Amino acid sequence: MTIVTPELLTRYDVSGPRYTSYPTADRFVDAFGEQDYVLALGQRRQSPVGKALPLSIYVHIPFCESLCYYCACNKIITKHHDRADVYLRYLQREIDLHTAHCGVGQMVSQIHFGGGTPTFLSDAGLRDLMGMLRSSFTLVPGGEYSIEVDPRTVDADRLALLAELGFNRLSFGVQDFDPEVQKAVHRIQPAEQVFSLVESARSIGFDSVNVDLIYGLPKQTPESFDRTLAQVAELRPDRIALYAYAHLPERFKAQRRIVWADLPMASSKVSMLARSLEAFSTAGYVYVGMDHFALPEDALAVAKRQGRLHRNFQGYSTQPDCDLIGLGVSAIGRVGATYSQNAKTLEDYYDLLNQGRLPVVRGLALTRDDLVRRAVIMAIMCQGELLFEPLEQAWLINVRDYFASELEQLKELEQQGLVMVSNEGLEVTAMGWYFVRAIAMVFDRYLQADKNRARFSRII
Ligand code: SF4
């Protein structure tokens, strides 16, 4: 078992991108718009390779019934469920615009409903939405069809409906089982409720059940979080995602309701993370990488062992990289060598669709350098290995020249035992997997440029 010390965590568990894309979404520009996106869709339609690869679809449902104070998502708090009916009509328009550009019946091997709260939709709403997708696209058997589930909005019957609609993966937002913490973040969901839902999900036969946890929340202590960890180990979900809470009240209004004095100190946060790593490892979970754990028999852990892991906007995946269509307000897509993002407010999103336009308002056309670095960062994050020769052949570069300063920077991480660099390539060590973000960040040209700018402005 790899022992990750609090000292190492303090040093290398840096805040930084989660690399669900490279370049990351904060690098998207307003100059990329609908026309660029349409061009990318057209190229996909004309390319035999593009057409042959199944699509991935993300649908954003922005509504939530009540506000969680730690929230940093794009959501709309409302108790008016009829707002979702209007939203579904606009989603239909957006789907129709896509099929006008890509054709009806494109193969889809991955769907994810995220939010907000996808289960804010009524049974009829969920049925309608899946019906819309099925009549416009062809869902391939054996695909990953997942949905984020707020335990407060479902019961066993609703889970059965999700299975009937074709979902085979559920992700429950748990965060913490401690009642005091739940009160402090305004999200009350008794542990018994989650236990009973996970049991129902198992008897219904979902392929995989994921639980999301957050450490660093108000009223959390290492001891209280230990109790949550023990409960999660008993619950035994197939996958666990453990995120750090970042308190940024100036950016996220909801977080202003959190009492600052209730937040755990940095040293307590590090201790919670170290204890979580140990608890999940003792409970038999495999550390997949970047905040994710899975049971050894889960498809994600198997894919990691076999070097078949991929990474997309939903995190780690077993599905090969494919074009992603993002539907709904603020949704992000990836088509060919582009990223695109929809309008962030409902008003703008509806407005553009009323004009018969795809609601893409920003994005990025990747440069050759972006593509090289994306390949490098994804190889590090997913395979924990980067072989120089195939990279040189694929991109006609000399790795030692192209990445001279990056290889220099890696020396410190190598000394700490996080990575091994040889003439053939680099390999992330067992310890390095826990800090894979720090290794990937070395190859992020935009971050390095920011660092140089900050250094430059300090000097002058
Ligand atoms: S954390 Fe999730 S459920 Fe809570 S307000 Fe934010 S989006 Fe809604």
Side-chain angles (χ1 to χ4, degrees), residues 149-420:
V149 175
D150 181 335
R152 299 168 299 174
T153 60
V154 292
D155 55 18
D157 289 345
R158 292 207 91 199
L159 294 186
L161 171 78
L162 294 175
E164 182 200 319
L165 294 179
F167 289 102
N168 50 21
R169 288 163 196 280
L170 301 180
S171 182
F172 288 104
V174 169
Q175 328 313 357
D176 191 318
F177 280 127
D178 189 286
E180 282 303 302
V181 177
Q182 293 192 356
K183 215 157 85 191
V185 297
H186 197 242
R187 186 178 171 120
I188 311 285
Q189 44 184 41
E192 307 77 59
Q193 188 184 14
V194 176
F195 271 75
S196 135
L197 287 171
V198 170
E199 200 176 303
S200 302
R202 284 218 177 90
S203 61
I204 291 166
F206 284 95
D207 290 348
S208 183
V209 171
N210 174 85
V211 158
D212 281 352
L213 300 175
I214 304 181
Y215 68 95
L217 291 175
K219 297 279 184 192
Q220 269 178 345
T221 63
E223 294 70 31
S224 79
F225 203 56
D226 277 351
R227 290 192 290 277
T228 287
L229 296 174
Q231 282 168 293
V232 172
E234 191 191 332
L235 187 64
R236 219 160 170 74
D238 305 282
R239 298 176 188 179
I240 301 166
L242 172 72
Y243 300 112
Y245 170 64
H247 191 57
L248 299 167
E250 57 295 335
R251 251 179 85 192
F252 305 111
K253 217 167 141 201
Q255 297 183 355
R256 292 177 203 164
R257 308 232 187 159
I258 284 181
V259 180
W260 188 81
D262 287 345
L263 288 169
M265 290 185 311
S267 57
S268 299
K269 272 181 85 175
V270 168
S271 163
M272 282 184 241
L273 175 57
R275 289 153 92 143
S276 307
L277 298 177
E278 197 185 331
F280 295 142
S281 167
T282 308
Y285 283 86
V286 172
Y287 186 70
V288 177
M290 279 291 298
D291 324 320
H292 283 77
F293 305 80
L295 287 174
E297 59 277 15
D298 183 84
L300 216 50
V302 175
K304 176 167 182 190
R305 277 198 297 281
Q306 297 177 346
R308 290 187 294 103
L309 218 50
H310 298 273
R311 196 160 172 80
N312 58 28
F313 284 104
Q314 278 74 59
Y316 283 111
S317 163
T318 56
Q319 298 288 308
D321 293 340
C322 50
D323 285 346
L324 164 75
I325 304 272
L327 300 170
V329 64
S330 76
I332 295 181
R334 164 190 159 161
V335 176
T338 69
Y339 291 121
S340 54
Q341 185 167 27
N342 280 350
K344 283 191 175 172
T345 67
L346 216 47
E347 211 184 359
D348 291 345
Y349 174 72
Y350 288 170
D351 237 29
L352 289 164
L353 286 164
N354 281 335
Q355 295 169 38
R357 295 174 53 191
L358 279 162
V360 167
V361 294
R362 58 200 286 270
L364 199 68
L366 276 68
T367 63
R368 189 171 185 279
D369 178 70
D370 291 336
L371 292 167
V372 174
R373 287 171 190 272
R374 177 164 82 180
V376 169
I377 287 174
M378 293 306 160
I380 292 171
M381 307 278 299
C382 299
Q383 277 75 55
E385 181 180 59
L386 176 70
L387 295 173
F388 294 159
E389 202 184 314
L391 189 72
E392 292 184 333
Q393 283 170 359
W395 295 100
L396 302 176
I397 56 172
N398 178 311
V399 168
R400 297 247 161 226
D401 294 341
Y402 200 92
F403 291 119
S405 89
E406 287 80 358
L407 292 172
E408 191 56 38
Q409 280 188 65
L410 280 182
K411 284 187 178 153
E412 191 202 327
L413 301 178
E414 199 174 7
Q415 275 164 14
Q416 294 297 330
L418 307 186
V419 67
M420 288 184 304

Side-chain angles (χ1 to χ4, degrees), residues 64 66-68 70-73 75 77 115-117 150 152 187:
C64 301
S66 82
L67 178 70
C68 311
Y70 55 82
C71 185
C73 304
K75 79 284 168 187
I77 308 295
T117 307
D150 181 335
R152 299 168 299 174
R187 186 178 171 120

Side-chain angles (χ1 to χ4, degrees), residues 3 19 43 97 116 119 125 133 152 249 290 341 362 421 439:
I3 307 290
Y19 293 116
Q43 282 165 354
L97 285 168
T119 46
L133 293 173
R152 299 168 299 174
M290 279 291 298
Q341 185 167 27
R362 58 200 286 270
V421 183
I439 303 169

Side-chain angles (χ1 to χ4, degrees), residues 83-121:
R83 292 186 73 178
D85 299 334
V86 178
Y87 188 70
L88 288 181
R89 289 205 293 277
Y90 280 92
L91 278 177
Q92 178 70 70
R93 289 191 194 186
E94 196 186 358
I95 292 171
D96 290 345
L97 285 168
H98 274 94
T99 49
H101 290 291
C102 307
V104 178
Q106 295 255 320
M107 306 279 244
V108 168
S109 64
Q110 205 174 31
I111 292 182
H112 184 79
F113 283 16
T117 307
T119 46
F120 179 92
L121 296 181

